[in-house]
Amino acid sequence: MDQHIAEAVGRPDLVRLDDRLVCLRFETMKAVSALAAVRHLLDTGAVRRGDTLLDSSSGIYAYALALACHRYGMRCHIVGSTTVDRTLGVQLAVLGATLERMEPCDDLKLDQKRRVERIHEILAEHPEYHWMRQYHDDVHYLGYRAVADRIRGAVGDGPLTLVGGVGSGASTGALARYLRAGQGASADVELVGVQPYGSVTFGAEHVGDPEIIIAGIGSSIPFGNVAHELYDTLHWISFDAALAGGVDLLRRHAVFAGLSAGAGYLAARHERGRAPQRTVVFVAADTGHRYVESVYARHREAVPVDGLVPREVTATAELCLPWSRMRWNRRPDPRGVRACGSPSR
């Protein structure tokens, strides 16, 4: 029996959509990393019960950290993006978290920059606060070890392709590391990262999406938790293509998930078609409730996914909407940004 609701909402379901396509479905994925991170900080004495934990978030991590703080008797202070909606804001308030909502801004880079600047202002006023640094501290890898074990236990030891949004780098990066380590040198685990256009993480900042940047799977600033050398292949997927994927995932398989899951599903279907001998697992990081109006209410606009195929490119200069695919071949970050170390804590 779980001791707190955070443990339940962070535990994923593995849903087999067909013989080689599996959905790793979370209610709130980042609860996994937030719980493990806070528990580790308490166990090592980095923080104590009653301390205030601080971070910036576009939504999902804010809820996860608030749950972890509730679980372990901590205070929570969030500098929230303009994407934090009313429903989440009310939940945070009732959970006892303090939310500072940034001024409305259509520029994601400026929004992230403002949030980071505000974090530093708060730390100057309250040096006793602990900044969780979800984008840069590999303590957020720790919670995914149990998820990797769950995947292996369910799908077996055969060739595996993992597909998911890159985002902060913690989820897909950690899962790939643990899955590969669990099988030793013989592990056959391919990692496929999904990015929105406009994200700097793998060099797509020069291509804009006229609809929207998919929150949570890209970034306008470099993230230290992204280990570029873990990724074999990348897909850049537009809002319209992800919408089509999300609607098809619900219509065909009854899985109601967020926009990033629609993008991951689209990429996973393609990877499954390229490698008939491999099992493909894709990550659905949250439910679709935040996207009812922006995505699912527009279901009649969704194009059939069977008619969507990515453009194969060999360099980021060739990227174009609505969908591009490139082999990354586990190369390091070309900008030389230092990634986090292996999570050996």
Side-chain angles (χ1 to χ4, degrees), residues 40 50 74 106 137 141 179-180 183 246 257 273 292 313 328 343 345:
H40 176 80
M74 316 290 291
D106 294 329
D137 191 338
Y141 274 51
L179 285 165
R180 290 167 181 168
Q183 298 298 308
V292 169
V313 303
W328 185 257
R345 305 172 191 222

Side-chain angles (χ1 to χ4, degrees), residues 202 227-231 314 326-333:
F202 285 90
H228 291 69
E229 67 275 10
L230 294 174
Y231 293 85
T314 58
M326 185 174 80
R327 289 291 294 175
W328 185 257
N329 296 318
R330 305 190 189 187
R331 300 196 305 270
D333 186 345

Side-chain angles (χ1 to χ4, degrees), residues 52-128:
T52 297
L53 305 184
L54 167 71
D55 215 339
S56 162
S57 174
S58 60
I60 296 176
Y61 185 78
Y63 180 52
L65 186 59
L67 286 173
C69 287
H70 190 278
R71 167 71 175 86
Y72 290 112
M74 316 290 291
R75 295 184 174 89
C76 179
H77 190 103
I78 298 293
V79 177
S81 168
T82 56
T83 57
V84 175
D85 60 21
R86 172 174 166 75
T87 300
L88 177 56
V90 170
Q91 286 178 285
L92 294 177
V94 176
L95 284 168
T98 303
L99 171 66
E100 283 192 45
R101 197 186 300 269
M102 300 304 293
E103 291 296 321
C105 178
D106 294 329
D107 186 327
L108 179 61
K109 184 173 184 179
L110 181 58
D111 178 59
Q112 288 185 318
K113 181 175 181 290
R114 285 176 175 174
R115 283 188 276 143
V116 172
E117 289 174 348
R118 180 56 187 151
I119 290 285
H120 286 292
E121 291 174 356
I122 293 170
L123 288 172
E125 299 166 4
H126 298 280
E128 74 278 9

Side-chain angles (χ1 to χ4, degrees), residues 10-342:
R11 185 183 305 108
D13 301 308
L14 280 155
V15 183
R16 187 174 292 280
L17 306 188
D18 65 26
D19 59 336
R20 292 184 298 104
L21 183 62
V22 177
C23 177
L24 181 68
R25 178 198 173 276
F26 291 87
E27 183 174 338
T28 303
M29 182 183 69
K30 290 192 175 181
V32 173
S33 57
L35 276 175
V38 174
R39 185 167 58 245
H40 176 80
L41 293 171
L42 285 166
D43 290 345
T44 57
V47 299
R48 296 176 298 177
R49 289 182 183 270
D51 285 353
T52 297
L53 305 184
L54 167 71
D55 215 339
S56 162
S57 174
S58 60
I60 296 176
Y61 185 78
Y63 180 52
L65 186 59
L67 286 173
C69 287
H70 190 278
R71 167 71 175 86
Y72 290 112
M74 316 290 291
R75 295 184 174 89
C76 179
H77 190 103
I78 298 293
V79 177
S81 168
T82 56
T83 57
V84 175
D85 60 21
R86 172 174 166 75
T87 300
L88 177 56
V90 170
Q91 286 178 285
L92 294 177
V94 176
L95 284 168
T98 303
L99 171 66
E100 283 192 45
R101 197 186 300 269
M102 300 304 293
E103 291 296 321
C105 178
D106 294 329
D107 186 327
L108 179 61
K109 184 173 184 179
L110 181 58
D111 178 59
Q112 288 185 318
K113 181 175 181 290
R114 285 176 175 174
R115 283 188 276 143
V116 172
E117 289 174 348
R118 180 56 187 151
I119 290 285
H120 286 292
E121 291 174 356
I122 293 170
L123 288 172
E125 299 166 4
H126 298 280
E128 74 278 9
Y129 286 8
H130 181 88
W131 183 12
M132 292 298 293
R133 302 179 75 244
Q134 64 151 321
Y135 304 131
H136 304 291
D137 191 338
D138 67 349
V139 70
H140 292 92
Y141 274 51
L142 297 176
Y144 293 102
R145 185 189 299 274
V147 180
D149 291 343
R150 184 173 174 83
I151 292 171
R152 269 303 178 201
V155 304
D157 296 332
L160 177 67
T161 298
L162 177 69
V163 180
V166 177
S168 70
S171 59
T172 49
L175 287 171
R177 274 191 172 145
Y178 290 133
L179 285 165
R180 290 167 181 168
Q183 298 298 308
S186 63
D188 184 358
V189 178
E190 292 261 323
L191 178 58
V192 177
V194 180
Q195 285 269 275
Y197 291 94
S199 174
V200 307
T201 308
F202 285 90
E205 60 270 27
H206 62 291
V207 183
D209 190 330
E211 273 278 6
I212 189 174
I213 291 178
I214 305 173
I217 67 170
S219 176
S220 65
I221 58 176
F223 288 165
N225 269 343
V226 178
H228 291 69
E229 67 275 10
L230 294 174
Y231 293 85
D232 296 284
T233 302
L234 294 168
H235 288 251
W236 288 268
I237 295 178
S238 71
F239 173 88
D240 287 339
L243 182 150
V247 170
D248 192 83
L249 180 60
L250 178 57
R251 180 178 289 135
R252 191 185 304 248
H253 301 289
V255 176
F256 183 49
L259 188 60
S260 67
Y265 168 67
L266 204 61
R269 281 171 47 94
H270 182 78
E271 295 299 322
R272 179 198 55 182
R274 295 178 65 95
Q277 77 282 8
R278 306 182 70 84
T279 296
V280 181
V281 177
F282 72 95
V283 178
D286 60 351
T287 66
H289 295 88
R290 295 173 66 197
Y291 303 94
V292 169
E293 294 302 325
S294 61
V295 174
Y296 291 101
R298 299 170 58 180
H299 61 91
R300 292 182 181 84
E301 301 173 26
V303 299
V305 296
D306 293 336
L308 292 173
V309 292
R311 177 185 181 184
E312 296 289 334
V313 303
T314 58
T316 55
E318 302 169 9
L319 294 175
C320 66
L321 298 164
W323 182 6
S324 298
R325 178 185 185 272
M326 185 174 80
R327 289 291 294 175
W328 185 257
N329 296 318
R330 305 190 189 187
R331 300 196 305 270
D333 186 345
R335 299 163 303 177
V337 176
R338 181 181 178 276
C340 68
S342 178

